[in-house]
Amino acid sequence: MRLTKFTDLALRAVMRLAVPEKGGPRSGSGGTSLTTREVAEVMDVPYAHMAKAITRLQHLGVLEARRGRGGGLDLTPLGRRASVGWLVRELEGQEEVVACDGDPPCPLRGACRLRGALRDAQEAFYAALDPLTVADLVTSPTGPVLVGLTSRRDAD
């Protein structure tokens, strides 16, 4: 199974926001929050792509976004304790691994055993992620690396 780039971006954003900067002026928890633009820059992805992922995460209740002076992004309590399996399911949607009913439909769709096996494998993939939380993903050594990321602009 392969995750979409959209899910990858959303997970990276959540992970970055889950780690506060120690001693820095910005943090993902309390203090001044990171903006969508800043998260996009440190993850080295286009702002428009990250903005779409951030919007979806807001709709899921995983993060809050505030506009204006003192605004930024913060994880919600749900975002901190969310199961990674749940989050990936929500971001990926419930699409089947194969499109048996496409155009033209697969001639085996009425008697195929592959479709069920792939559905079971997909659920096993998600089930393996269910025990993990966002907080689990940012324990050492990942957290310090996330905080140490800088945008290319800052590196110049």
Side-chain angles (χ1 to χ4, degrees):
M1 171 145 185
R2 184 179 188 141
L3 297 179
T4 61
K5 186 70 170 175
F6 177 80
T7 298
D8 177 44
L9 292 179
L11 290 172
R12 287 195 266 163
V14 167
M15 289 171 64
R16 178 55 190 95
L17 293 169
V19 183
E21 288 189 42
K22 292 183 181 168
R26 299 210 174 259
S27 76
S29 155
T32 305
S33 303
L34 293 168
T35 66
T36 301
R37 187 164 308 282
E38 290 168 331
V39 174
E41 286 175 1
V42 299
M43 293 299 168
D44 196 23
V45 298
Y47 169 78
H49 295 177
M50 185 58 76
K52 288 177 186 175
I54 294 297
T55 298
R56 179 72 174 120
L57 292 167
Q58 280 181 268
H59 289 170
L60 291 173
V62 172
L63 61 82
E64 294 176 339
R66 292 174 318 286
R67 292 181 165 219
R69 190 172 179 95
L73 307 170
D74 284 306
L75 286 181
T76 64
L78 169 64
R80 293 196 179 284
R81 70 175 187 278
S83 158
V84 176
W86 170 81
L87 190 53
V88 171
R89 279 183 190 90
E90 293 297 317
L91 293 167
E92 288 289 310
Q94 297 300 317
E95 302 254 340
E96 299 254 354
V97 176
V98 294
C100 300
D101 298 323
D103 186 27
C106 176
L108 300 175
R109 73 181 180 275
C112 182
R113 296 180 68 196
L114 178 60
R115 184 178 190 178
L118 290 173
R119 189 178 311 119
D120 291 347
Q122 181 180 26
E123 185 49 40
F125 174 80
Y126 292 139
L129 297 173
D130 283 339
L132 290 171
T133 65
V134 171
D136 294 331
L137 295 179
V138 296
T139 59
S140 191
T142 307
V145 171
L146 285 164
V147 170
L149 294 175
T150 59
S151 70
R152 287 187 179 180
R153 190 178 321 158
D154 292 341
D156 293 337

